[in-house]
Amino acid sequence: MVRRPRPLLAASAMPPAPAAGRRSFRWAAAGTLLGLLSALVLCAPAAWLASALASATNQRLLLADARGSVWNGSARVILSPGAGSRDASELPERLGWALRPAWVDGGLGVRLTLAQSCCVKPASPVTARLGMDRLSVRLPDATPEQPWIRWPAGWLSGLGTPWNTVAPEGLIAISAQGFVLDGQGKTVRVTGVAQLELRDLSSRLAQVAPLGSYRLNLVGGGAEPQLILMTQQGPLQLSGQGSLGARPQFRGEASPAPGSEAALANLLNIIGRREGARSIISVG
């Protein structure tokens, strides 16, 4: 008896995979990828921020020993003359930060809060609004009497020449009132006022200490932000005006108070071009 072979099942007879199943697989894969990317962003180490900042500042502003994440971290903050230099100076305490997404002035943005018990006013966030080809940054409001930041002036020596020659001592104080920097394309507008103060400034180049206290105001509201330098007190008298437009410019002068000419002679020779007892400061 001859057995007939069983017919093979034709490939065309195989049931096709359900379309719903293929769609489910795609959604699952997309969800997994999105989850991995979200975890990567949320857990991005603080070292990434330190590397980006060092690259953007040509190794002049460094976040050393960075711990935590981009969103919550701390680091030692160091000023350096640049890559390969051994001269550097460090703030007295670690600087902490908290970065959060935020709704700023009706748009998507971020809120950055700095924490440093010695030197930064608590609960004073910097906010930034992000947009297409646009960035708007607002500094926290603070008065000169209770500034946002108080850092030692000696920290500037880490930048190298001429700061390491001047060897400043004293206090840097930063405050602002309604200060907003709004950049769109190549256009930058500034509103409000930001103030940088050098309090009880002294230098090893001068035979008198302190030299004085000084305030530099950055004033917005016009076509170009204006710079105004004034002396609050002290034997070294500084004054000047300038602007921060397409071509930043500043013109000022330094002069000794009566009776301080000899004690300030070396410092005045470094500050600018001498004209009699004065030193002329010119930038741009």
Side-chain angles (χ1 to χ4, degrees):
M1 182 176 180
V2 179
R3 294 182 178 180
R4 296 180 180 178
R6 295 179 180 180
L8 297 176
L9 186 61
S12 59
M14 293 289 291
R22 290 196 298 271
R23 287 195 297 269
S24 297
F25 175 78
R26 294 193 187 102
W27 278 111
T32 301
L33 180 60
L34 182 60
L36 290 174
L37 291 175
S38 299
L40 183 63
V41 170
L42 292 175
C43 300
W48 290 8
L49 178 62
S51 178
L53 185 61
S55 178
T57 61
N58 197 23
Q59 307 294 319
R60 292 182 179 273
L61 180 57
L62 307 176
L63 296 179
D65 188 25
R67 303 173 187 173
S69 70
V70 168
W71 305 99
N72 288 283
S74 69
R76 296 160 43 215
V77 186
I78 295 174
L79 286 179
S80 168
S85 175
R86 295 183 179 181
D87 296 326
S89 59
E90 181 177 342
L91 287 177
E93 291 183 10
R94 293 180 68 89
L95 179 69
W97 66 83
L99 183 64
R100 297 287 184 274
W103 195 253
V104 180
D105 296 333
L108 181 64
V110 293
R111 179 180 290 108
L112 172 66
T113 304
L114 302 178
Q116 194 177 37
S117 60
C118 67
C119 310
V120 178
K121 184 179 179 181
S124 300
V126 179
T127 57
R129 181 180 176 184
L130 312 175
M132 295 296 294
D133 197 30
R134 181 177 182 181
L135 175 64
S136 180
V137 178
R138 180 186 295 272
L139 296 185
D141 284 344
T143 64
E145 293 74 25
Q146 295 184 327
W148 170 42
I149 285 175
R150 298 164 57 95
W151 282 334
W155 187 45
L156 298 175
S157 297
L159 289 173
T161 306
W163 296 104
N164 57 357
T165 302
V166 175
E169 295 293 337
L171 183 70
I172 300 170
I174 299 174
S175 57
Q177 295 86 44
F179 185 83
V180 179
L181 187 150
D182 191 5
Q184 188 167 12
K186 296 182 178 180
T187 303
V188 177
R189 290 186 64 254
V190 172
T191 56
V193 179
Q195 295 150 332
L196 186 149
E197 291 183 279
L198 292 174
R199 299 178 180 176
D200 295 327
L201 179 67
S202 63
S203 168
R204 67 183 178 192
L205 298 179
Q207 300 175 18
V208 58
L211 293 168
S213 295
Y214 312 94
R215 178 180 293 176
L216 179 65
N217 286 348
L218 175 58
V219 182
E224 296 181 343
Q226 300 297 303
L227 290 170
I228 303 173
L229 174 64
M230 64 192 78
T231 299
Q232 296 180 293
Q233 61 178 5
L236 177 64
Q237 302 288 302
L238 300 178
S239 62
Q241 292 186 331
S243 62
L244 292 180
R247 296 182 59 186
Q249 298 182 8
F250 182 83
R251 299 290 183 271
E253 67 175 53
S255 60
S260 302
E261 293 85 356
L264 297 176
N266 288 338
L267 185 60
L268 289 169
N269 288 335
I270 293 175
I271 288 178
R273 175 174 51 83
R274 290 299 295 266
E275 285 188 1
R278 303 181 304 164
S279 283
I280 304 303
I281 306 168
S282 179
V283 178

